[in-house]
Amino acid sequence: MTGRRAALQAASVLTAWALLLALVWILGQEKLANATGNLQLGAMPLYGSWEWHVDAGLLAPIAMGALIIAFLPPICARWRWRYALFATTLAGTAFSLAAAVAHSHPLTWIDLDNHYAGHTDLVDEAGGFGPFLEGYTAVQLAGDVPVHMQSHPPGLVLFFWAAEQVGLDGLVFQNTVVKLGVAAAIAAALTIGRDVAGERPTRRAAPFLALAPAAFWQNNADLVFAGVTLAAVACLVLATSRSGGRAALLTAAGGLLAGAALMLSFSAALLAVPLVAVAVGRRRWGVLLGGGALAAAVVLLPLAWGYWWLEGLQATRVRYYAGVAALRGYWYFLLANLAVFALALGPATAVALSRLRDRRMWLVVGSCLAAVAAADLSGMSSSEVERIWQPFMPLVLLAGCALTRPRAWLALQLAVAVVIAAALRVQW
């Protein structure tokens, strides 16, 4: 592609990206005006409120972003793979932390405490681990727990309850768990990209996983879900390219992690789509069967204490449509969700998707986009996808391998991230 043609294509894609956001915003204002209740979307279609604030906190993502732009592309291009992987993971986690510093909301650092870790007393009040599991679906349906707990299996609350038993609790521990989720998600996505598409394109994509507007929304439980789920997918993908004992070990690890992911979030099931695409392409049916059997065993285990995952999913649907989702509706967010997803991925990713020609990388990116489409069509995501769809984002960001002159595109990503941080006030 000639320089002029590439510039015209980029300009067209960026214009379409901006027009999509503008269209969704305009339609959102009409929806707000005609709403019959409080949609809880003060920054329609984003959760939060538009409150312009320029303060010292913005220096954190600006400085960290500048360091990433200056040093990470050559590191990813020249260093040995293991060191490039570590540097990218560290950089992405650091930028996520810096973006959190730029938040203006006082509840930014206590989101996990408000919705999960702060409610571990419910386990003791129920009479312990077993009785809590047995009564969890009924508690969901009654609406006696925070809305986030109503929308997820009991895995994360039980994790924090178990951590408390060994003395691990408090805000530092909770936020460390979130950032470990960020690190795991980046490392897993890069591992998947390298195994499926090769090392060279994954090296080119790596800086884009470390610096994206999505980092602004990375202080919540969905990053824990992302880390565990993508780690499971990575283990199982690696198993499809290996044989013997290593394949069996990776299948076992991936299956157990997949089961754990399903006990953390119902939507983790959608990330089976990229795994199935890779495994079917490689005709590794044993990995799918073995990993699936172990994941099913983990999900079935709580039946011993009376908790059935499918009943929990049905309870979540009931509570979801009994809440604010009933007011938000379906058709507007079918489009708005995709626009918000595009905003979180950043304009550079939109251009990258239009330029991506690597069939192997498309297998990863395209299958993840198919999972996003399924999530959108399901109607179980009426806004807040800037948070809810975080587990899908690292795999789509691998499309960055199609971009040349990465520093210019990374600078654009940073600019969008800083504008969001300066204009939007949100608690997670």
Side-chain angles (χ1 to χ4, degrees):
M1 186 182 294
T2 65
R4 183 175 181 180
R5 183 180 175 186
L8 286 173
Q9 182 203 44
S12 299
V13 173
L14 292 174
T15 300
W17 179 84
L19 287 174
L20 173 62
L21 297 181
L23 173 64
V24 165
W25 182 82
I26 291 170
L27 294 175
Q29 302 315 298
E30 181 180 354
K31 186 172 181 63
L32 277 176
N34 297 325
T36 58
N38 183 10
L39 303 183
Q40 299 181 19
L41 298 173
M44 188 73 160
L46 296 166
Y47 185 87
S49 59
W50 296 117
E51 297 181 26
W52 189 262
H53 52 280
V54 178
D55 51 38
L58 288 175
L59 294 177
I62 292 172
M64 184 54 62
L67 289 173
I68 290 172
I69 293 168
F71 296 107
L72 191 58
I75 286 173
C76 291
R78 299 167 190 165
W79 287 17
R80 293 181 65 179
W81 170 253
R82 69 183 67 178
Y83 302 127
L85 176 65
F86 177 77
T88 304
T89 301
L90 183 63
T93 307
F95 186 69
S96 174
L97 184 62
V101 171
H103 276 253
S104 63
H105 202 292
L107 301 181
T108 297
W109 300 101
I110 62 173
D111 189 74
L112 273 183
D113 193 63
N114 280 346
H115 297 125
Y116 295 97
H119 300 279
T120 55
D121 57 322
L122 293 172
V123 181
D124 295 320
E125 289 174 4
F129 175 88
F132 176 76
L133 273 176
E134 183 179 9
Y136 187 76
T137 302
V139 169
Q140 275 185 288
L141 288 169
D144 293 336
V145 292
V147 66
H148 288 250
M149 287 178 62
Q150 295 174 34
S151 304
H152 294 94
L156 192 56
V157 176
L158 289 174
F159 167 78
F160 283 115
W161 175 79
E164 283 184 5
Q165 309 312 301
V166 296
L168 293 174
D169 57 7
L171 296 181
V172 172
F173 173 69
Q174 294 164 21
N175 286 282
T176 298
V177 169
V178 171
K179 296 312 172 189
L180 286 174
V182 174
I186 293 172
L190 290 173
T191 300
I192 294 166
R194 180 176 183 248
D195 194 76
V196 176
E199 189 169 310
R200 183 175 295 179
T202 306
R203 284 178 178 272
R204 293 197 303 267
F208 293 94
L209 275 75
L211 202 168
F216 181 72
W217 295 285
Q218 289 183 346
N219 255 47
N220 54 75
D222 290 272
L223 277 304
V224 182
F225 308 154
V228 177
T229 307
L230 287 172
V233 175
C235 287
L236 292 168
V237 165
L238 289 174
T240 65
S241 63
R242 285 153 178 80
S243 59
R246 295 184 69 187
L249 184 61
L250 286 165
T251 299
L256 293 173
L257 281 171
L262 288 168
M263 290 303 296
L264 292 172
S265 172
F266 295 112
S267 63
L270 289 171
L271 275 169
V273 176
L275 168 63
V276 170
V278 173
V280 169
R282 292 174 170 175
R283 300 186 179 182
R284 293 300 302 272
W285 313 108
V287 173
L288 284 179
L289 293 174
L294 284 171
V298 173
V299 171
L300 289 170
L301 183 62
L303 268 173
W305 293 276
Y307 176 78
W308 176 218
W309 190 86
L310 288 177
E311 285 185 357
L313 175 60
Q314 181 57 32
T316 289
R317 291 184 63 87
V318 171
R319 291 305 306 164
Y320 184 74
Y321 288 111
V324 70
L327 297 174
R328 291 176 180 174
Y330 179 81
W331 293 107
Y332 168 74
F333 287 101
L334 200 64
L335 177 64
N337 288 341
L338 298 179
V340 170
F341 190 59
L343 175 64
L345 293 172
T349 306
V351 176
L353 288 169
S354 72
R355 293 183 179 180
L356 186 59
R357 299 293 182 268
D358 188 314
R359 291 185 178 181
R360 294 180 300 171
M361 192 63 87
W362 255 120
L363 179 63
V364 177
V365 174
S367 58
C368 191
L369 288 174
V372 170
D376 196 30
L377 291 169
S378 73
M380 291 293 289
S381 300
S382 293
S383 188
E384 302 184 47
V385 297
E386 63 271 28
R387 169 182 58 83
I388 298 168
W389 288 358
Q390 285 279 342
F392 304 119
M393 294 178 191
L395 292 181
V396 179
L397 288 168
L398 287 170
C401 68
L403 297 174
T404 57
R405 298 182 180 178
R407 284 180 171 143
W409 292 111
L410 288 169
L412 179 60
Q413 295 285 81
L414 176 59
V416 173
V418 171
V419 170
I420 291 171
L424 184 62
R425 182 177 169 89
V426 63
Q427 66 190 46
W428 32 254

